[in-house]
Amino acid sequence: MTYRRLQWDILTRVLLLLLTLCAAAFLLVKEWYVYEILVLPVIIYQVFDFYSYHKQAQREVEQFVESIHYRDFSRNFNVTQAPDDLKELRRGFNEINSAFKLISKEKETQYQYLQKILELVDTGIISYETETGEVVWMNESLKRMLMLPYLKTIHSLQKRDALLYEQVISLQPGNSHVATVHQEKNMFKILLSATAFQTEGKKFQLVAFQNINEALDATESQAWKKLLSVMTHEIMNSVAPISSLADTLKNRLQESVQFLDNSNGVVEDLEVGINTIKRRSEGLLKFAEVYRNLNKITNPTLKHVFVRDLFENMHNLMQPTLNQKGIEMEVILKDPDLAIEVDPNLIEQVLINLIVNAIEAVKESEQPRIVLSAVQSSSHKLAVKVSDNGYGMSEDVMNNIFIPFFSTKKNGSGIGLSLCKQIMMLHKGNITVQSVEGKGSVFTLQF
């Protein structure tokens, strides 16, 4: 509507100017110079008016284009005080600005919604330009996961975790890969997924970081439970008859000893052999019964427990052993009101196992020391730590320390830490370890 009105305004001015010029030419041919002098000012006025109109319209368009260029959709073109010829033009500009403002508002709203949604999800997300590596955006979940407040480029990740950086860079769009995040005091598994997109002639890569440590732990735990169930069942079914048969043979031997020739010690040898069979079979039965404990715990009885009470019980229980071995145990609890919903009997069993292991680890230290502490993070997660200054352990040992049957002790069963992990998973928590050979270890219970 505005464009057609402008066309008519320009056409009217051109026609009027044409008519005036034709009249001036006619007067000039007739040599009516007196009338020619009267028409000349009209021509000058029309030319000046046409020029002014064009100049004003040009200025209005320039201002409108400037507002579009700088996305200043708040600018309003005054219609009431505008010349009559420009009112329709300004009204049209205001309508276009209003439309752009509405579109911009809708886009901003959608962007804010997307931002909030991506901030709420637990999956870490990062987007960066493929060519330069410049990070366009990363959500808070990724910052917490990698413990990084900011990444200028994806290449900055190399300084923090070189192995993870290589896995992220080599990940092709559309593929997924399980990687390991190495933090200063923690290590966990993540699933990397990548996709690519292109806009404004630039290519971008978007990578999602999903923490699958808990899912892997749960799957691994179920697999071990099934394996242990089968193994203990088969062992007990096979060994129980052997133990019973050894008892029968021993009784028959004692009944028949008076009829046998024992001059060369054959009877004693038979009795020793039968006793050995019986002792080893009973040992295997006890061994299988111990491992069945991993499958017995199913539903913890949760109670509201103060951490200070747990620590006090541990101190009273372990203090005689610690005094006897000359080991110092320090308890650090800055907030005495810290409390958790746990099964106190099961958690005490976990702490006993960890403290007993720490006692074993520090036995050769010059100043053996164990620290029992608890702290609550800003995300309201509670961490209970058992630290020692013992001999520590290698990375290979740390990776296998919670696997059933694995033990670094000569006479260890390999069940203690596996049971600790099972108990923590039943509490929807986790247990981790950090260790440096020759300096000590820290076991952390995360609730």
Side-chain angles (χ1 to χ4, degrees):
M1 181 67 183
T2 302
Y3 179 69
R4 292 181 62 185
R5 177 66 181 270
L6 284 173
Q7 282 183 318
W8 281 111
D9 286 345
I10 294 173
L11 184 59
T12 301
R13 282 177 165 80
V14 171
L15 290 175
L16 288 174
L17 181 58
L18 181 61
L19 289 174
T20 307
L21 289 173
C22 289
F26 176 77
L27 294 173
L28 189 63
V29 171
K30 293 294 185 178
E31 297 182 354
W32 295 345
Y33 299 115
V34 176
Y35 296 105
E36 184 75 27
I37 294 172
L38 295 175
V39 173
L40 188 60
V42 177
I43 295 174
I44 295 173
Y45 171 77
Q46 286 182 322
V47 171
F48 180 77
D49 178 67
F50 186 76
Y51 175 78
S52 300
Y53 175 80
H54 174 72
K55 201 66 179 176
Q56 280 185 317
Q58 185 181 359
R59 281 198 297 267
E60 297 288 333
V61 172
E62 287 176 351
Q63 290 179 9
F64 174 72
V65 171
E66 183 182 5
S67 68
I68 297 297
H69 178 73
Y70 292 105
R71 300 179 182 274
D72 183 14
F73 305 126
S74 62
R75 180 178 294 187
N76 182 63
F77 294 87
N78 195 329
V79 178
T80 57
Q81 297 181 4
D84 292 338
D85 296 333
L86 295 177
K87 282 185 178 180
E88 289 298 327
L89 182 64
R90 290 192 174 185
R91 188 176 290 112
F93 287 164
N94 287 337
E95 290 176 0
I96 296 173
N97 260 350
S98 298
F100 274 121
K101 188 186 298 183
L102 180 61
I103 294 172
S104 178
K105 185 177 180 180
E106 289 177 351
K107 287 181 63 178
E108 181 67 22
T109 302
Q110 292 175 356
Y111 179 75
Q112 291 295 333
Y113 271 122
L114 180 62
Q115 288 280 86
K116 294 301 179 184
I117 290 171
L118 293 178
E119 294 298 346
L120 287 174
V121 297
D122 290 332
T123 302
I125 300 173
I126 188 171
S127 175
Y128 63 92
E129 188 179 346
T130 307
E131 185 177 348
T132 63
E134 182 181 357
V135 172
V136 179
W137 184 81
M138 60 188 292
N139 66 348
E140 291 297 325
S141 296
L142 183 61
K143 294 176 183 178
R144 290 193 299 268
M145 184 183 297
L146 302 182
M147 300 178 67
L148 292 173
Y150 174 72
L151 274 179
K152 185 175 182 180
T153 67
I154 192 66
H155 307 303
S156 303
L157 182 62
Q158 188 175 18
K159 298 179 181 179
R160 296 296 188 99
D161 195 331
L163 184 58
L164 178 62
Y165 166 75
E166 293 296 335
Q167 292 171 323
V168 171
I169 291 296
S170 61
L171 187 63
Q172 295 298 316
N175 293 343
S176 298
H177 178 71
V178 176
T180 303
V181 175
H182 299 83
Q183 294 179 348
E184 184 179 353
K185 296 183 177 180
N186 199 7
M187 187 170 60
F188 55 90
K189 298 286 185 181
I190 59 170
L191 178 65
L192 294 175
S193 303
T195 186
F197 61 94
Q198 185 171 341
T199 179
E200 297 180 355
K202 296 181 180 180
K203 293 182 179 180
F204 297 89
Q205 184 106 330
L206 190 144
V207 183
F209 296 65
Q210 185 177 359
N211 190 333
I212 57 172
N213 216 51
E214 293 182 4
L216 287 176
D217 285 346
T219 303
E220 183 183 273
S221 175
Q222 290 299 320
W224 279 114
K225 287 176 70 175
K226 290 180 180 178
L227 176 61
L228 289 172
S229 178
V230 172
M231 289 183 62
T232 54
H233 177 76
E234 292 300 322
I235 289 174
M236 296 185 77
N237 284 350
S238 300
V239 175
I242 296 175
S243 178
S244 177
L245 182 60
D247 273 333
T248 302
L249 289 174
K250 185 177 180 180
N251 292 334
R252 294 292 297 274
L253 180 63
Q254 289 176 349
E255 291 173 359
S256 306
V257 67
Q258 56 183 334
F259 304 109
L260 298 175
D261 182 9
N262 192 29
S263 58
N264 55 357
V266 173
V267 175
E268 284 84 354
D269 291 341
L270 287 172
E271 190 170 356
V272 169
I274 292 172
N275 286 335
T276 301
I277 293 172
K278 178 176 174 57
R279 186 173 63 255
R280 290 305 304 147
S281 60
E282 289 177 347
L284 281 173
L285 286 174
K286 289 180 180 179
F287 175 83
E289 183 64 30
V290 168
Y291 278 100
R292 288 180 66 182
N293 291 334
L294 281 175
N295 293 330
K296 286 183 178 179
I297 304 170
T298 54
N299 295 312
T301 304
L302 301 180
K303 296 180 181 179
H304 188 76
V305 180
F306 285 100
V307 177
R308 64 172 183 266
D309 294 335
L310 285 174
F311 284 5
E312 184 178 358
N313 291 341
M314 289 300 101
H315 184 271
N316 294 335
L317 180 65
M318 305 304 298
Q319 194 59 42
T321 303
L322 295 169
N323 289 339
Q324 182 182 0
K325 296 180 179 293
I327 300 172
E328 176 190 359
M329 186 168 81
E330 182 181 0
V331 177
I332 300 175
L333 185 61
K334 295 182 179 180
D335 184 0
D337 294 326
L338 281 181
I340 45 177
E341 296 288 332
V342 296
D343 186 324
N345 294 324
L346 294 180
I347 297 303
E348 283 183 2
Q349 184 62 48
V350 172
L351 291 174
I352 289 171
N353 284 342
L354 296 180
I355 293 174
V356 168
N357 287 346
I359 291 173
E360 177 71 17
V362 300
K363 63 182 181 181
E364 296 180 0
S365 300
E366 294 183 2
Q367 296 179 332
R369 185 168 177 262
I370 298 172
V371 178
L372 192 60
S373 62
V375 63
Q376 191 166 27
S377 66
S378 57
S379 56
H380 303 291
K381 291 183 179 181
L382 183 69
V384 176
K385 298 184 179 183
V386 179
S387 312
D388 66 68
N389 62 344
Y391 48 75
M393 63 186 83
S394 65
E395 186 172 346
D396 289 339
V397 173
M398 282 193 290
N399 291 335
N400 298 300
I401 198 72
F402 298 108
I403 295 177
F405 311 117
F406 181 86
S407 177
T408 56
K409 300 176 184 177
K410 185 177 181 180
N411 298 317
S413 64
I415 190 176
L417 291 176
S418 302
L419 189 59
C420 290
K421 186 169 186 176
Q422 181 70 20
I423 291 172
M424 289 303 299
M425 290 181 66
L426 288 173
H427 285 82
K428 302 188 185 303
N430 194 20
I431 179 171
T432 59
V433 60
Q434 299 91 42
S435 184
V436 178
E437 289 187 272
K439 293 186 178 181
S441 304
V442 180
F443 283 85
T444 303
L445 308 179
Q446 298 170 333
F447 296 92

